[in-house]
Amino acid sequence: MTLIDLTWDFHGERFAPEIIEEKLPLKSGLTAYTGVVYSLKMDGMSGTYIDFPGHIAETADGMAADNYPLEDIYRIPASVIHLDRKSGSGAVTADDLEKAFGSKISTPGLIINALGTLEPTDIETRSVYLDDSAVQWIIDSPCKLLVSDIYESTALHGVFLKLFGAGITTVCMPVNLHKIHAEQVRLTVLFPRIPNVCQLPCRAVAEYES
């Protein structure tokens, strides 16, 4: 079994969490030790993060971190598409996705590795993106959970609005996608069950038989 951690560390001045560590002496007649506890303050887009459709008010469907079905995020079958696009190379189309995969997908999960060995921060922001045909291709598939290293363009042409409107949940800023050497994996995305929150850091893992 091969496990690939797709999770990026917390990053950048804006997104780095504020962590306050406190040490609490604990003592009884039987023992004594020091507990270490943490207070955390962080942005919803810290590290790798998940966006439910409710991240956009107009596409909110009532799903959030506390009520999203476990069966839709735990070891779901996911197709894997690999491209090798460079910074500034523009739109990824439906034809690009289908040719790279060899067919249409038939799984509830989809992983798009558009940047080859590059990570999302290795390119000019949003200089590689999914065009309208690619978004429609995903919407027309069974995909309900999308992990991708590209999404929107600088023109803000509505990638997330369309995906969320179709009930597709997205995972942003994943890493190590190029390390997946299988056309289909089991995909797991886990996060704290925080009520009503529609965007928060997550842990994403792909698994497949070696």
Side-chain angles (χ1 to χ4, degrees), residues 11-182:
H11 59 281
E13 186 174 328
R14 173 186 169 189
F15 299 108
E18 178 184 328
I19 303 173
I20 300 174
E21 180 183 289
E22 185 178 0
K23 294 183 178 180
L24 299 177
L26 299 167
K27 187 175 182 180
S28 73
L30 300 175
T31 188
Y33 56 89
T34 303
V36 182
V37 297
Y38 301 89
S39 297
L40 307 175
K41 181 180 179 181
M42 68 183 69
D43 193 289
M45 293 186 288
S46 295
T48 299
Y49 60 94
I50 190 166
D51 283 333
F52 303 101
H55 174 52
I56 293 178
E58 289 83 356
T59 56
D61 59 2
M63 291 290 102
D66 60 327
N67 64 355
Y68 200 80
L70 188 61
E71 61 269 23
D72 293 342
I73 55 170
Y74 179 68
R75 300 191 74 240
I76 67 168
S79 302
V80 183
I81 299 177
H82 292 287
L83 302 171
D84 191 12
R85 299 294 294 269
K86 305 303 180 186
S87 181
S89 59
V92 169
T93 68
D95 284 345
D96 293 332
L97 296 177
E98 190 160 332
K99 287 177 182 176
F101 189 65
S103 64
K104 295 185 182 297
I105 70 163
S106 59
T107 54
L110 174 59
I111 298 172
I112 298 176
N113 170 213
L115 303 178
T117 59
L118 299 175
E119 304 297 4
T121 53
D122 293 333
I123 67 166
E124 182 182 349
T125 303
R126 296 187 174 186
S127 65
V128 187
Y129 56 90
L130 299 170
D131 78 354
D132 289 341
S133 70
V135 172
Q136 191 60 51
W137 187 83
I138 295 166
I139 290 172
D140 290 341
S141 79
C143 174
K144 290 301 174 185
L145 181 61
L146 172 62
V147 178
S148 179
D149 51 12
I150 62 165
Y151 283 101
E152 184 64 86
S153 72
T154 54
L156 192 66
H157 63 282
V159 168
F160 288 105
L161 182 65
K162 294 166 187 172
L163 291 173
F164 294 160
I168 297 172
T169 292
T170 62
V171 174
C172 303
M173 304 305 289
V175 295
N176 298 327
L177 302 184
H178 65 282
K179 295 181 179 180
I180 302 173
H181 300 299

